[in-house]
Amino acid sequence: MAQTITPAETPPSASAPASAASPVALSVVMRWSVLVLLAIGVLIAFLDRTSISSAMADPPFKAHFKLSDTDRGMIGAMFFWSYGLVQVPMGWLVDRYGVKTPYTICFALWCIATAVTGLVSTLMALILMRVIVGAAEAIVMPASYRWIRNNFHEGQSGTAVGIFTMGNKFGPAIGAPVASWLIVNYDWRLMFILTGAVGLLWLVPWMLTVKNDLPRGGEAKAAARKAAASVTFASILKSPVVWGAMIVNFCYGYFTFYCMTWMPAYLVEQRGLSLERSGLYTFFSFAGIAIVAVIAGWTADRLIARGGNPVFVRKAFVIAGFIGACTVLLGAQASSLGWALFWNVFSLSFLGLATANNLALCRLTLIPKPAIGLVTGVQQVATSLAGGVAASLSGWLLHVSGNYELPMLVIFVFLLIGALACWILLRPQWAPRVNETVE
């Protein structure tokens, strides 16, 4: 049977009801409350994934596992390889079976694996725990963006995504000093056990507050799954927007994941800070990007509400964020500690101009609603690849050069590539297509 093909839907107007796409309409208070809960969930996820970075700057931890610089890069990369491998299946899962149950199971699994990391004694067991944490955390982005797209309209999406992304920025911001404090005052074992176990408390409000976002009843569920199939995987892979978004997200992720994986070690080993002080400056950097992300997302929403073109407005913020973040190279070349720390914090904070607007553009504005989970999963493959490449390549570059200037030069190059990809490829006419007639 012939299929009718239409482009991705036009972005909804700012006056459209936020809950129009939801199976059950939620009150304003409930929508924003669940959004905050999602932000806390991703904060816990990033805290658990980045706690290893502080541990890898700890001499007793390195000695216990006999780690070289290349080994540290490999450990950091293993999380991202498993994280990326199951992104697409996780996106497919939430598009067809909803957010609540898959997220609940995966959340419990990664918290338990984080806690068990404090009990392992061999390098292979350590790697296995990082693989489990990575695979389980792959649910977070597809599930969260599906929920946001179904409950917030275009005039709110920048603010909503900005609030949500505060979680993945405050995760490492809070995690670095907390993990460092626990390691210095106790040891790395207790740090992993506590960070994993405490995270499980989040499941209580999640289970009590969040409803299943799939319609009830057999026919309604079948219709929802049919809608999820209305954007084919082939059309997703043919879309220049999807490939452009993957390039942009890779370049963005390369810088942020480098900071999550290597910033504590850089501040300790090259700039001479204590582990505790390195955690403090890591906090400043990630707190900066989180705050700027919310302000930039809100500002873009206001410009769009006043008649600005959503694609143009968000692209302008993204490109500005990438260009401003190139100042990371000034930090690498700074001769004084003060200027090195300033540019270290400034460059990552400035990237916040791109954070919420890039995600709103690539995963909401330009993407058909039925395929949010799957498209997010596809894009997250690039993000995961960025994490794995940033962790392992930076470790190798550090090994061959003996300092951190070469790894930061690579960041500079990727930032320029990201800005160009956003400008050239993220265009509405190249978005994924919707099959209006599906067998």
Side-chain angles (χ1 to χ4, degrees):
M1 182 176 180
Q3 294 181 327
T4 303
I5 308 297
T6 63
E9 63 199 86
T10 302
S13 69
S15 60
S19 58
S22 303
V24 178
L26 300 178
S27 68
V28 173
V29 172
M30 182 60 71
R31 279 192 288 116
W32 291 98
S33 296
V34 174
L35 178 66
V36 170
L37 198 56
L38 287 170
I40 295 171
V42 75
L43 183 151
I44 294 169
F46 272 73
L47 190 155
D48 287 345
R49 78 174 61 173
T50 56
S51 56
I52 191 74
S53 302
S54 295
M56 289 196 298
D58 178 43
F61 179 85
K62 291 188 289 183
H64 180 83
F65 292 103
K66 300 180 175 63
L67 301 178
S68 65
D69 289 338
T70 304
D71 291 334
R72 289 193 290 168
M74 177 189 66
I75 292 169
M78 291 308 296
F79 167 91
F80 294 103
W81 300 138
S82 64
Y83 183 73
L85 185 64
V86 294
Q87 282 290 334
V88 173
M90 288 296 189
W92 180 92
L93 187 69
V94 299
D95 278 339
R96 284 156 180 78
Y97 298 98
V99 170
K100 183 174 182 178
T101 300
Y103 201 149
T104 301
I105 294 170
C106 291
F107 190 99
L109 180 59
W110 91 61
C111 285
I112 292 169
T114 299
V116 171
T117 303
L119 305 176
V120 302
S121 57
T122 67
L123 180 58
M124 287 305 299
L126 175 63
I127 291 172
L128 176 61
M129 290 303 105
R130 298 309 294 169
V131 168
I132 293 173
V133 172
E137 286 195 10
I139 195 74
V140 175
M141 296 304 176
S144 299
Y145 282 101
R146 171 189 164 85
W147 195 93
I148 292 170
R149 182 65 162 96
N150 284 341
N151 289 278
F152 293 93
H153 58 64
E154 180 62 48
Q156 297 175 322
S157 61
T159 304
V161 172
I163 291 172
F164 171 71
T165 57
M166 286 187 75
N168 62 29
K169 299 303 180 285
F170 273 105
I174 295 171
V178 168
S180 299
W181 184 86
L182 287 171
I183 290 170
V184 169
N185 290 278
Y186 299 95
D187 66 3
W188 59 268
R189 296 172 182 84
L190 184 64
M191 182 271 292
F192 283 116
I193 292 170
L194 286 179
T195 54
V198 171
L200 290 169
L201 296 174
W202 177 89
L203 287 172
V204 177
W206 173 260
M207 294 295 292
L208 294 175
T209 304
V210 179
K211 306 297 183 184
N212 194 318
D213 65 330
L214 282 182
R216 296 181 180 180
E219 292 185 3
K221 287 183 179 179
R225 289 167 188 168
K226 183 178 179 180
S230 65
V231 183
T232 66
F233 192 63
S235 74
I236 289 172
L237 293 183
K238 290 177 182 177
S239 168
V241 163
V242 172
W243 287 100
M246 291 177 73
I247 295 170
V248 172
N249 283 295
F250 178 93
C251 296
Y252 175 95
Y254 190 94
F255 185 16
T256 56
F257 287 127
Y258 166 85
C259 293
M260 291 179 195
T261 307
W262 284 103
M263 186 183 292
Y266 161 72
L267 294 174
V268 170
E269 296 168 1
Q270 184 150 324
R271 294 300 178 178
L273 300 186
S274 67
L275 185 58
E276 287 180 297
R277 286 192 69 199
S278 76
L280 180 63
Y281 280 99
T282 301
F283 169 83
F284 290 150
S285 296
F286 282 99
I289 191 175
I291 293 168
V292 173
V294 174
I295 295 171
W298 180 87
T299 302
D301 285 349
R302 300 287 69 75
L303 293 173
I304 292 167
R306 293 176 182 177
N309 180 280
V311 175
F312 177 82
V313 170
R314 298 205 192 281
K315 283 177 69 171
F317 275 90
V318 174
I319 293 170
F322 274 95
I323 298 301
C326 289
T327 54
V328 65
L329 202 56
L330 298 177
Q333 297 173 343
S335 57
S336 71
L337 175 61
W339 279 111
L341 295 175
F342 171 80
W343 291 118
N344 201 56
V345 173
F346 177 87
S347 60
L348 190 60
S349 298
F350 207 97
L351 189 62
L353 290 178
T355 303
N357 288 294
N358 171 53
L359 296 171
L361 179 65
C362 294
R363 299 180 183 180
L364 305 179
T365 302
L366 294 174
I367 305 302
K369 284 184 180 180
I372 293 297
L374 184 57
V375 172
T376 298
V378 171
Q379 293 180 16
Q380 281 295 115
V381 172
T383 303
S384 309
L385 181 64
V389 173
S392 53
L393 178 60
S394 297
W396 180 78
L397 292 172
L398 175 62
H399 174 73
V400 298
S401 67
N403 62 64
Y404 286 85
E405 186 168 339
L406 185 56
M408 290 187 183
L409 178 61
V410 173
I411 293 170
F412 173 81
V413 172
F414 279 128
L415 289 170
L416 293 180
I417 293 172
L420 285 172
C422 177
W423 177 37
I424 296 169
L425 295 174
L426 299 186
R427 303 184 180 188
Q429 63 268 33
W430 291 343
R433 303 275 171 161
V434 175
N435 296 333
E436 292 185 337
T437 304
V438 180
E439 296 280 1

